[in-house]
Amino acid sequence: MGRINICVKRAFIFVCVLIGIISTLLLAITLFGHGYAHEAEEIEEILPGIVILYVLEAAILVLSILGVYGARKEKKWAVVLFSVGMSLASLYLFVECVKAYNSKNEMEELTREEHLAMMPLSGAKQKDIQRIYNMQTNFKCCGPVQGYQDWGTDIPISCLCSDEDSTDFKCVARGNNTRFVIHYPNSDMSEDDDHKGLMDEHMLVYEKPCLPILISVESYAISLGIGVFVALTALWDIGVALAITILCQMRRKVHVPPAIFTSQPPQYRELCDTAESV
């Protein structure tokens, strides 16, 4: 078996350790996202994706440990498992990146159709109304499509643009025949107690609708995710290239000059004998 170049060995171990650290962090993030989705009661929709992430990240962590073990102990089988496993994982992640990029426009269109189906908001489901309220609070917007006009005469208080918000977000005056209402979607209050009108005509609302902002945020999140996955794929490919280099060095035979043994006495003894005879 050949000797492994020390520089290649150290570089491979460093890459394996880096892959292991990143895999551990991704496992922690996935676990946190799993808990958050479970609390938000959205676990059924994303559970298959979460399971795939668990399996992939755990497998990558195990492969990184095998890579370090194989390099340090010069175990060929461990390096082979690392290179094969990482090659398959890299190929899978690359295919998923291509699929995500191709489905980017489809996801944007699906989001648009989903929110347009809620219109008019006066007949929307309570669950959909709650989603729009959260969107308006987080994105500082009002209404999905046409701004505050989507709400008709009763504009939710989450559309209210305060004096502090007016410096960062553009606000407009609402119509004369509209009013702000305080609505608590998750409460068990009666309809009369659930709505409280605020008729101050000087109150402003956010100008921008929420749907374009939501689509922009989703598009950015998809692009960011693709960029992260491409970077991970590149890191994994570097590890595979180093593993193949180590395997090639293991297969290369080291030529050791053969040892020559002779039964003749050392030359200095012959010289000594010659000197004594003289």
Side-chain angles (χ1 to χ4, degrees), residues 104 108 111-112 139 210-224:
K104 184 177 178 181
E108 293 178 359
T111 301
R112 184 178 288 103
F139 296 151
C210 296
L211 185 55
I213 300 176
L214 177 62
I215 292 177
S216 177
V217 170
E218 288 183 349
S219 177
Y220 176 78
I222 293 173
S223 300
L224 181 62

Side-chain angles (χ1 to χ4, degrees), residues 48-62:
I50 291 178
V51 172
I52 292 176
L53 287 177
Y54 277 136
V55 173
L56 180 63
E57 291 160 359
I60 296 301
L61 180 59
V62 173

Side-chain angles (χ1 to χ4, degrees), residues 140-175:
K140 306 297 183 181
C141 54
C142 185
V145 182
Q146 298 180 348
Y148 74 91
Q149 298 177 2
D150 292 335
W151 292 102
T153 57
D154 292 343
I155 304 174
I157 200 68
S158 55
C159 285
L160 176 62
C161 184
S162 62
D163 295 335
E164 297 178 357
D165 294 333
S166 61
T167 58
D168 299 323
F169 302 92
K170 191 172 182 179
C171 305
V172 294
R174 56 191 173 85

Side-chain angles (χ1 to χ4, degrees), residues 109-129:
E109 188 63 26
L110 182 63
T111 301
R112 184 178 288 103
E113 293 177 356
E114 181 182 359
H115 285 79
L116 290 177
M118 300 178 187
M119 307 299 293
L121 294 180
S122 58
K125 299 179 181 179
Q126 199 70 16
K127 182 179 179 181
D128 295 334
I129 294 293

Side-chain angles (χ1 to χ4, degrees), residues 35 58 91-92 122 145 188 231 243 277:
L91 180 61
Y92 170 79
S122 58
V145 182
D188 296 329
S277 63

Side-chain angles (χ1 to χ4, degrees), residues 2 16 30 46 49 96 148:
C16 289
T30 304
I46 62 175
E96 290 299 318
Y148 74 91

